[in-house]
Amino acid sequence: MARWPQWLSCALLLLLAACSAPVPQERVAEQALELRSADGPLRGGVLDGVAVFKNIPYAAPPVGALRWRPPAPVQPWQEPREARRYGNDCWQNRKSWDRAMSAQPMSEDCLYLNVWTPLPLRGDKLLPVMVWIHGGAYASGSGSSPLTVGDRLARRGVVLVTLNYRLGRFGFFAHPALSAESREGPLGNYGLMDQIAALHWVQRNIARFGGDPARVTIFGESAGGDAVHQLMLAPPARGLFAAAISQSGGGRALLPRLREDQPDLPSAQTLGQRFAQRAGVHGEDAAALRALPAATVLGDLSLIEWDRQAWTAVCIDGQLVQGDVLEGYAAARQAHVPLLLGSNGDELGALPRFVLRAMNQLLTPRFGAQLPQLIAAYPSAEAYERNLSSDFGFVEPARRIARHASARQPVFLYRYDYVPQAQRGKWRGAPHASDVAYIFGYPEAADADVSEQDRAQASLMGELWTAFARQTQPAAAQATPWPAYQRDDDRVYEISAQGTRLLPAGAPWLEAIARYAQPRAP
C-alpha cells in the first residue's frame, strides 16, 4: 500500500513547481576578501556591504570508500581557496519546470557550505548566527538555491550559513553489508550526519566570520523543517545550537527502523537490499555497492517510482534518530531551547482536487471506525476534502509539538497565510514553501510581479525571524506583539495580508485528528 510520506513528497514537488517563478542568477563578488578558516585560507568577496564566502568544505568528499560512511574530517589546505562561487550540488533529479532549483553541477563531492556576514567583521561584538537547512523531501535542493541567497538576511545583523547535505539514496540508505562494517557507529542517516558535521564546523569557525557560536539558530522548511525536529531530538546534536525554527516541518512521518521489519513498514535495510538486488548486487558486498555508478544509485525518483521500495529517507537507527518526531516531543527528549514553528495557511490547497482526494484516501485507514466522527468535525465536506491532508501533515503536528514543548521551553507557534498581491484570486491561502523567499528577502523569487506590499511583507518576515535569532523573541516594529505559546491559552500567531494577530489555535477537526488518528493503519 502507498503511504502518506511518499505521496506528500510527490505532491509538494508538484506544488513547488506551481509556485515557482524566474529567480535571480548567482551574483559573484568582484572585490576579493581573504579570511583564514580553521582548515585553511579562503578568498571570498564583498557584495553591497556583505562579505560572502561560498563553497567552503565542512567534511571530506564522501566519494569512493567514503560513500555511505559518516562525514570524515576536512583535509587542511595552505593556499587561499577560491570562495566566490557556489560549489557542487549533491546528486538529485532536477525537473525542468522547477526554476527554484540551483544550476550548479552535481556530484557526490558536495559537502560544502556558504557564509554571508555583514561588514565590518568585528571580533569584539559577535553576531547571532542562522544556519539554513533546505527542504526538498530529502531528495532535492541545495544551499545554493536562488530563493535562499543570504545577503539580505545578513544585512539585518546576522551571520547566515546555508549548506548542502547528501540526498536520496546517497544520504539515506542502509544495507546489511554496511551495517557489518560499523556495528557501533551510526548508520543509514548520512544526510543528518552531514548536517551535524556542518554544525560542528560552525562551532569551530563562525567566530572568524563575526558570528557567535553560542547564539546559533537552525532553521529549515519542509524536509528542512523536519530535519530541525530530528536535530532537536538527536543526542549527537545537543549543544550545537541555541534556538530552532521549523517551517512546515510536519512531524507525522512514520519512520522505518534500521534493521527490524514491521508489519506495515519494511526496515531501511530491507529496502536497501531490494535496491541492491535490482542494481545487480547480491549478498553482503559493500565494495560492490560503493562501486555502483552514481546514476544507478540516484535512480529516477519520478512520481511513478517514488515509493518505499524505490527510496527512503530518515530511519530510526537508535542513535541519531530514536523514534518518530511526535513520540520524541511527547517524551520530552528534545533539546530544551527556544523553538519557533508553524505551518502555512493552505499548505496543499493549490494541488488539483483529484490529488487531494487520493491523499485523503491514503489517510482514512489511520482513523478506522472513527472516520465518520472526523468528517463531522469539519464545517463541510468540501473543507474536509480540501484540508485533511494539510491538517494531518502540518497544522495539527505543529500545534501538538507546541503543546508538548511549551511546558519546558519558550515556543512560538505561527500560521503564515500571506498571499502575494499578484496571486490574489488564484490562491485561497499561502501554499507550501511560499514563505521561504519572503524570509530571505527575495519576494521576486516567488513572483515576477512584486508589489510594495509584498516587499513590506518580506521585510516583516525577515525582521521577525532575525529578531528570534538575536533575542529568542520574534518581534517587529510594525507587528502585533508575539507572546510565547501557552497550552492553556492555545493561540497561534497569524501572519497575513491583513497584518498580524493572535487567533485560537484549536479547532474541532484538529482535536478530532489528535484524538482519533492511530500511529499506523490497522
Side-chain angles (χ1 to χ4, degrees), residues 168-255:
R169 290 193 193 95
F170 297 98
F172 301 91
F173 182 76
H175 190 278
L178 303 177
S179 299
E181 293 180 335
S182 178
R183 299 185 183 278
E184 302 299 328
L187 292 163
N189 297 308
Y190 302 104
L192 293 180
M193 297 179 211
D194 295 341
Q195 295 168 17
I196 292 172
L199 291 174
H200 277 291
W201 183 95
V202 169
Q203 289 297 312
R204 290 190 300 114
N205 284 277
I206 208 64
R208 300 166 185 256
F209 295 81
D212 187 347
R215 289 193 294 163
V216 174
T217 297
I218 57 173
F219 70 129
E221 187 271 340
S222 194
D226 178 75
V228 167
H229 288 317
Q230 301 297 346
L231 294 171
M232 285 282 286
L233 293 163
R238 206 56 48 88
L240 297 178
F241 55 90
I245 302 174
S246 175
Q247 303 165 213
S248 302
R252 282 195 174 277
L254 301 178
L255 306 181

